[in-house]
Amino acid sequence: MEDRISKELSKSFYIQRAKKFRTKKRLGQNFLIEPEIIDTIVSNINPDDIVLEIGPGVGFVTERLVKIAKKVVAVELDEEAISILEKNLGRHENFTLIHNDILKTNLEDIFKEEKLENKKIKIAANIPYYITSPIIAHLLGEIDELNNKNRGMIDEIILMVQYEVAKRIVADNNSPNKEYGMLSILSQFWADCSIIKHVSKKCFYPSPKVDSSILRIKINNKPRCEITPLLKRTVKAAFLQRRKNIKNSLQNGGFLNVDKALNLAGFDFQLRGEKLSIEDFCTLSKALYETNKEEMA
């Protein structure tokens, strides 16, 4: 009972603080005000961790992170939020605040200044939903990037995203058709992705129109399967026109010798792209390369 009352008071305190801030729709600002959800995020952080927080806002999660992690670096774009973060958290020796757009921020440059460029980091982020895909691509790199520097620095990402987007990120070829797609493959090609917790829209101020989920994206040292020169192009062609079978999708994507490649890979011509696993796409892209390399030379 006392714990519940304490959390209700904490939530009320967060709401009152959030109301003093002029949120900006263009930046997708919805502040997490539910103590239990904040607990879930910080429970993934250990005393030896170096944490990069993306979009800390007014710092409700950040205030907890600096008490646990060895080092916290926060990247925030909003000038008004920057002022609040500097005032409330500037005294912490293990806290560094960077005023920048995360999509224009190179992780290696950040941590080189902190003399931590050779350390694996954890990322905590409650990001604007409309830039989820660009941020994931920025952190993980494209599927055919063997040596992406940002990805090479990351151990895992604890990410708050829209619930529908979370389902797309963790989806596979056995999921409902509309969920599995390019975002699924981009997220999972270099990482293991799982949903940690469902988060009600009531846990934010102001409340968004949709619920959210907390994701764990655990980075792997190697890709899911062999990368070929045509892998990215193959995936893009397969999902560009979902209603078409894989043969028509590849032909519309400009591939030649499609029949020969599908026979070599052992795939039914009528199969749709969303029924191919990540490993299947690697097999298919390899077959396409083998049957088209003379034309590509």
Side-chain angles (χ1 to χ4, degrees):
M1 174 65 93
E2 289 183 2
D3 184 57
R4 181 178 64 81
I5 293 174
S6 176
K7 288 186 176 181
E8 287 177 354
L9 290 172
S10 295
K11 184 173 182 177
S12 177
F13 180 59
Y14 285 140
I15 292 172
Q16 293 305 314
R17 290 175 62 188
K19 283 183 176 179
K20 294 179 181 179
F21 185 86
R22 182 172 54 87
T23 56
K24 304 166 186 66
K25 287 186 177 180
R26 64 182 176 82
L27 296 178
Q29 291 176 329
N30 300 95
F31 301 134
L32 183 59
I33 55 171
E34 178 55 62
E36 182 180 345
I37 304 302
I38 295 175
D39 287 346
T40 299
I41 293 172
V42 300
S43 69
N44 292 276
I45 306 303
N46 300 310
D48 292 333
D49 286 338
I50 299 164
V51 179
L52 170 67
E53 187 182 11
I54 299 172
V58 290
F60 297 158
V61 175
T62 323
E63 292 166 359
R64 297 285 304 281
L65 291 174
V66 295
K67 295 178 180 179
I68 300 172
K70 180 178 181 180
K71 178 70 181 181
V72 177
V73 177
V75 177
E76 175 58 54
L77 181 60
D78 183 24
E79 292 185 2
E80 187 179 354
I82 287 285
S83 297
I84 293 172
L85 291 164
E86 288 176 340
K87 178 181 178 181
N88 294 340
L89 293 160
R91 68 184 184 280
H92 292 275
E93 294 183 359
N94 66 333
F95 177 67
T96 298
L97 180 59
I98 296 174
H99 184 192
N100 204 1
D101 181 343
I102 188 60
L103 294 177
K104 299 176 182 178
T105 304
N106 186 307
L107 303 193
E108 187 177 45
D109 291 341
I110 293 176
F111 289 96
K112 186 177 292 184
E113 291 184 11
E114 299 293 326
K115 298 182 180 180
L116 297 168
E117 66 268 28
N118 296 318
K119 305 290 186 180
K120 288 284 186 177
I121 66 172
K122 286 186 178 179
I123 293 178
N126 174 20
I127 60 177
Y129 297 149
Y130 66 94
I131 56 169
T132 297
S133 295
I135 286 180
I136 290 178
H138 181 62
L139 297 178
L140 301 184
E142 298 293 344
I143 58 176
D144 54 356
E145 284 188 73
L146 271 172
N147 298 304
N148 182 275
K149 290 184 178 180
N150 282 347
R151 185 182 65 240
M153 295 188 63
I154 303 169
D155 175 37
E156 70 177 23
I157 304 169
I158 306 301
L159 184 65
M160 180 83 75
V161 296
Q162 181 180 335
Y163 175 60
E164 295 300 325
V165 175
K167 290 195 294 183
R168 289 169 53 201
I169 288 173
V170 303
D172 60 24
N173 56 308
N174 295 311
S175 301
N177 293 348
K178 290 183 180 180
E179 293 179 3
Y180 181 56
M182 292 185 66
L183 180 59
S184 314
I185 295 175
L186 171 66
S187 304
Q188 296 176 42
F189 198 79
W190 290 94
D192 295 324
C193 304
S194 59
I195 295 177
I196 297 175
K197 193 176 186 66
H198 177 74
V199 182
S200 168
K201 58 188 175 184
K202 296 179 181 179
C203 295
F204 298 89
Y205 181 87
S207 294
K209 296 180 179 179
V210 295
D211 289 345
S212 301
S213 291
I214 302 174
L215 285 173
R216 174 182 284 111
I217 301 176
K218 180 69 176 178
I219 309 302
N220 294 321
N221 294 324
K222 58 182 182 179
R224 285 278 292 271
C225 47
E226 181 184 356
I227 298 174
T228 69
L230 295 177
L231 177 59
K232 184 178 175 181
R233 184 180 163 195
T234 302
V235 173
K236 185 176 180 179
F239 289 111
L240 196 60
Q241 296 174 302
R242 284 179 171 271
R243 296 181 65 85
K244 294 186 179 295
N245 61 40
I246 191 65
K247 175 182 175 179
N248 289 335
S249 294
L250 293 172
Q251 288 177 335
N252 290 341
F255 285 101
L256 303 174
N257 304 315
V258 171
D259 288 14
K260 187 176 179 181
L262 287 169
N263 282 324
L264 180 61
F267 294 131
D268 186 331
F269 289 17
Q270 299 303 313
L271 198 66
R272 289 185 176 179
E274 62 259 27
K275 295 303 178 184
L276 296 177
S277 68
I278 294 177
E279 291 77 11
D280 288 338
F281 275 112
C282 290
T283 299
L284 179 55
S285 66
K286 185 175 182 180
L288 286 164
Y289 178 72
E290 290 297 324
T291 55
N292 286 282
K293 59 184 177 183
E294 291 184 5
E295 285 84 353
M296 295 169 59

